[in-house]
Amino acid sequence: MKIHAAKPLFAWSELEDVPQLRTIREVLESLPDQALLDGLAAARGKGRDDYPVSVLWGVVLLSILCRHLHVEDCLAELGRNPTLSQLIGITKPKDVPNPWNVSRFLDTLGEEPHLSNSRAVFDSLVGRLGQAVPSLGRHTAGDSTALAGRAKKNTEAVAEEGKQGLPQPTGGRKEYKDEDGKLTKVYEWFGYKLHLLVDVEHEVSLAYQITDTKAGDNELVEALVEQAEANLGEGRIETLAYDKAADDTKVHEVLHDHEIKPVIEVRSMWKEEKEKVLRVGLPLVYDEAGTVYCYDTKSEPPVKRKMAYIGHEEDRGTVRYRCPARHDGFTCPSEEKCNAGKKYGLSVRIDCEEDLRRFPPVPRATKLFETRSDGRTGGERVNPRLKIFGGAAGGNVVGARRFHAHVGAVMIV
């Protein structure tokens, strides 16, 4: 019997190296960008219209779709490929814009309200996709990546961008350490940080934010969650995985308010303590990651065992643990002391709000946490696609307005 292997909904491994004209036409036709184009046309007013805004917008999109590192390469291809030119309304070679026309267009696109209208196109696409794919956004992951950028040399133009609230490129540094805290690698760049919230199953971006290199990942979680929920609807996101960069109390409070289960690695902050007592009068302790242990005090020396996690009680807002001996069916010398009179054995409920960082609904020392945490790799695969296929990491765009406009177009594509 021949078994046909089903492709995933988003078969990224089969992404076309050279997009076909049919693919490009379908992409351009699918974009809900009329409000953006109307706003750009209204801003131009009665000025010169040698190159319509629809043509310039088409050039920006084509340079990303066709994976050109420089807009000059895209313009050169439009000059020798009339079939491709016609897709964006260019009928004659002389109607192909010049590089400075596209550069000025990006500068305008990076102004308000056009920048917000561009983001609205992205949000609309995510919302439409969420309606078609009910599982989109159920399990998510957050991540940030470095993008190269350059500032304008004109100080007045830089000041004008600052008034708009756009961050300027700055120097960034990221250090990588091993389990012992030893520095193993240092990465430095000049530009920006792109923060993403990604669906881990389909590897599709649901929300994005652009900041300077100094902004911490934890500072952007709330904005990303709110944008993703606005696109998909409240209650869609069940879990959010992130590395320890997002492990702070405020992030856990935000996710708790949005009823999203955090899957966040713990940051090591205890200097000397190894464990703390969970309940006075019970042989129970917990470590920095929130893992609960019991002590068999009858053995010599006392034996420390991990308590059996038996679930998150959503209606109570608690996580529950049970005697590992009763749960796993082995004999414990402290059986009589701990479980006397208890048919089910010693069990304990912990209110998550006692310490949202320490006692999340998905405890760190569980198989479910490992599974959801592994989903971060799906989010990490989105970054190189945006950089390699989308050209977001080229570093060829000068100025904050142009950079934000270009990255916004990459996210749309």
Side-chain angles (χ1 to χ4, degrees):
M1 182 178 68
K2 186 176 182 180
I3 300 177
H4 296 275
K7 296 179 182 178
L9 183 60
F10 299 95
W12 296 109
S13 61
E14 300 191 18
L15 199 64
E16 298 171 342
D17 290 331
V18 181
Q20 301 177 22
L21 289 174
R22 182 186 65 181
T23 301
I24 295 173
R25 181 185 295 110
E26 290 175 348
V27 170
L28 297 177
E29 290 176 350
S30 70
L31 298 184
D33 55 4
Q34 193 57 50
L36 171 64
L37 295 176
D38 291 343
L40 289 166
R44 175 173 285 186
K46 297 182 179 180
R48 292 183 59 178
D49 197 29
D50 297 342
Y51 306 105
V53 293
S54 60
V55 170
L56 295 168
W57 174 237
V59 171
V60 173
L61 296 176
L62 282 181
S63 66
I64 300 168
L65 279 165
C66 297
R67 301 175 192 164
H68 293 299
L69 292 179
H70 305 276
V71 69
E72 290 85 354
D73 298 331
C74 181
L75 296 175
E77 183 172 353
L78 289 173
R80 62 177 176 265
N81 190 337
T83 307
L84 181 64
S85 300
Q86 290 171 8
L87 291 181
I88 60 172
I90 297 176
T91 57
K92 302 175 184 177
K94 70 179 183 64
D95 293 332
V96 176
N98 299 298
W100 54 87
N101 298 125
V102 181
S103 180
R104 290 171 183 169
F105 172 76
L106 278 176
D107 204 63
T108 301
L109 186 60
E111 296 178 340
E112 293 294 350
H114 315 306
L115 190 60
S116 294
N117 290 339
S118 173
R119 179 180 285 269
V121 176
F122 170 85
D123 292 338
S124 176
L125 290 170
V126 175
R128 280 166 33 180
L129 193 58
Q131 292 177 355
V133 186
S135 64
L136 186 74
R138 187 171 300 162
H139 300 295
T140 64
D143 193 21
S144 68
T145 187
L147 297 182
R150 292 184 289 166
K152 291 182 177 178
K153 295 182 180 180
N154 188 320
T155 55
E156 292 182 2
V158 171
E160 197 66 30
E161 292 176 336
K163 292 179 181 178
Q164 187 179 329
L166 297 179
Q168 292 294 319
T170 54
R173 174 187 172 94
K174 190 169 184 179
E175 298 180 350
Y176 297 86
K177 299 180 180 179
D178 57 20
E179 296 180 356
D180 298 325
K182 184 179 179 181
L183 189 65
T184 59
K185 180 182 177 182
V186 175
Y187 176 70
E188 296 182 325
W189 78 100
F190 187 85
Y192 302 85
K193 286 177 74 173
L194 175 64
H195 305 260
L196 297 175
L197 188 66
V198 176
D199 175 273
V200 300
E201 179 184 358
H202 304 300
E203 300 180 11
V204 173
S205 299
L206 308 174
Y208 72 94
Q209 296 287 331
I210 303 170
T211 68
D212 60 23
T213 60
K214 310 303 180 184
D217 291 5
N218 57 317
E219 300 174 37
L220 276 298
V221 171
E222 184 172 11
L224 290 171
V225 167
E226 290 178 351
Q227 184 186 357
E229 286 190 333
N231 294 340
L232 299 173
E234 294 184 6
R236 174 74 74 97
I237 303 175
E238 295 181 8
T239 65
L240 171 60
Y242 221 117
D243 59 25
K244 61 183 67 178
D247 181 41
D248 71 7
T249 302
K250 183 179 179 181
V251 169
H252 285 271
E253 289 174 348
V254 166
L255 298 182
H256 179 73
D257 293 340
H258 287 265
E259 298 183 353
I260 298 173
K261 298 175 182 177
V263 184
I264 302 175
E265 297 178 10
V266 70
R267 285 187 296 133
S268 180
M269 300 179 67
W270 290 2
K271 300 301 182 182
E272 297 180 359
E273 293 176 294
K274 299 296 182 182
E275 60 188 34
K276 293 184 179 181
V277 175
L278 180 66
R279 297 279 192 276
V280 176
L282 292 176
L284 302 178
V285 298
Y286 64 93
D287 62 13
E288 189 172 15
T291 307
V292 180
Y293 299 89
C294 65
Y295 272 102
D296 165 23
T297 56
K298 292 291 185 179
S299 299
E300 194 62 42
V303 178
K304 179 180 176 181
R305 295 191 178 95
K306 188 187 298 182
M307 291 283 283
Y309 170 70
I310 55 176
H312 171 233
E313 298 172 317
E314 193 168 351
D315 55 336
R316 295 178 180 231
T318 60
V319 287
R320 193 175 180 189
Y321 293 86
R322 183 190 181 197
C323 167
R326 286 289 181 90
H327 188 269
D328 297 330
F330 63 86
T331 302
C332 175
S334 292
E335 165 77 23
E336 184 177 347
K337 176 182 177 181
C338 296
N339 299 326
K342 302 182 181 74
K343 185 177 180 180
Y344 188 70
L346 175 66
S347 67
V348 60
R349 287 188 176 93
I350 306 174
D351 192 336
C352 295
E353 292 190 23
E354 284 187 24
D355 190 334
L356 293 173
R357 280 189 63 228
R358 208 73 63 204
F359 305 113
V362 182
R364 294 181 176 90
T366 61
K367 188 67 177 177
L368 179 59
F369 184 92
E370 292 181 10
T371 301
R372 296 290 174 234
S373 184
D374 288 343
R376 289 193 296 114
T377 59
E380 291 168 354
R381 282 192 288 271
V382 175
N383 290 330
R385 292 193 195 113
L386 293 175
K387 292 182 175 182
I388 298 172
F389 297 117
N396 300 314
V397 181
V398 178
R401 286 176 180 164
R402 295 168 187 164
F403 182 88
H404 281 70
H406 179 252
V407 173
V410 171
M411 297 303 300
I412 289 171
V413 172

